Amino acid sequence: MRQKLVIGNWKMHGSLAANEALLNAIKGGASATLAVCAPFPYLAQCQALLAGSAVAWGAQDVSAEARGAFTGEVAASMLAEFGVGYAIVGHSERRTYHQEADGTVAAKALRALEFGITPVICVGETLAEREAGQTEAVVARQLQAVLDALSVEQLGRVVLAYEPVWAIGTGKTATKEQAQAVHAFLRARVAERDDGVAGRMAILYGGSVKPDNAADLFSMPDIDGGLIGGASLKAEDFLAIGNA
Ligand code: PEP
């Protein structure tokens, strides 16, 4: 059976005091594996409060570079020093506001893997692309850069996240059928490279997942959990999604 995984993406939210309350409240865990991806300055706090608990922690980005004169970047080796288990790469907010190209996203995934960090590789189409019937072409292109860069062994250590851009932070969720169709498409693409890896790969759905729609989405055969933005900031909601 594939791992069931629910990952929170705090984005640029939080404070030491608010995080402490949130982390202590979710520490007990849920029936799915839980992780929180916090802003870089809070990773030490996550490590201090979550080490030994059922909840893992992660970063929201990682540099494609190993080290050196890259002001503002954070290296995978540094994240590893703080026990980081996951790094989101290619979130649509990074692709949109920081012009991250597909190749850069793949390079970031590779760098995370080099340090034993699981990259959570995000793909997804905009509303205009969906309306133009380009959903599969867009996610296939985004995924292809990863397939081109990673070996089968490396591919076996990633998590994919399908996040339709039009559903992120908008309150609009893909229907479970819409999401399932894209998840099955992505898994089939991975299967063209390696059937076994595709069968084992966790593919998460992200985009306005809330306690009242999570169970429905997660009931689909190719949806293995969620990448949760807004609802991951409320312990009650995040745990409810984890239990869904
Ligand atoms: C996200 O940021 O990855 C996300 C899915 O956000 P939200 O759940 O708020 O739509």
Side-chain angles (χ1 to χ4, degrees):
M1 217 176 83
R2 282 193 293 273
Q3 185 188 24
K4 297 284 180 195
L5 186 60
V6 170
I7 301 180
N9 173 15
W10 288 2
K11 311 195 188 200
M12 201 168 70
H13 294 289
S15 66
L16 288 172
N19 304 346
E20 186 171 344
L22 178 57
L23 293 172
N24 282 330
I26 63 171
K27 236 162 131 157
S31 48
T33 300
L34 294 185
V36 292
C37 289
F40 293 129
Y42 297 136
L43 292 173
Q45 184 189 26
C46 289
Q47 183 177 35
L49 289 175
L50 296 177
S53 82
V55 181
W57 57 99
Q60 298 170 17
D61 188 25
V62 61
S63 179
E65 306 294 339
R67 71 188 65 77
F70 300 101
T71 303
E73 296 273 281
V74 176
S77 60
M78 300 170 186
L79 298 180
E81 287 195 297
F82 290 90
V84 162
Y86 298 90
I88 298 172
V89 297
H91 191 279
S92 66
E93 288 153 15
R94 301 289 317 171
R95 292 180 189 264
T96 304
Y97 305 135
H98 301 272
Q99 291 75 44
E100 284 190 12
D102 299 333
T104 305
V105 173
K108 289 182 171 199
L110 262 180
R111 195 63 76 186
L113 287 166
E114 192 184 322
F115 287 89
I117 295 167
T118 301
V120 181
I121 304 169
C122 301
V123 299
E125 82 288 2
T126 62
L127 186 58
E129 288 164 341
R130 173 163 283 266
E131 287 176 350
Q134 293 170 349
T135 299
E136 290 191 351
V138 169
V139 298
R141 190 202 72 224
Q142 293 169 332
L143 177 62
Q144 192 58 46
V146 174
L147 295 174
D148 289 344
L150 272 57
S151 68
V152 168
E153 183 277 325
Q154 289 165 330
L155 209 51
R157 293 191 283 131
V158 314
V159 168
L160 268 189
Y162 168 55
E163 296 209 307
V165 180
W166 48 271
I168 297 178
T170 59
K172 283 186 201 150
T173 318
T175 64
K176 60 181 178 180
E177 291 81 12
Q178 284 173 323
Q180 165 60 26
V182 179
H183 282 232
F185 174 78
L186 291 168
R187 200 180 300 284
R189 279 288 164 132
V190 176
E192 286 172 17
R193 167 65 75 80
D194 190 279
D195 217 23
V197 164
R200 289 188 298 275
M201 184 176 283
I203 307 182
L204 311 183
Y205 170 79
S208 298
V209 178
K210 306 282 180 231
D212 61 2
N213 59 22
D216 214 26
L217 286 158
F218 299 166
S219 70
M220 302 308 276
D222 288 294
I223 302 181
D224 306 310
L227 182 55
I228 318 298
S232 72
L233 297 168
K234 271 185 73 183
E236 198 188 336
D237 288 0
F238 190 54
L239 285 175
I241 293 168
N243 284 321

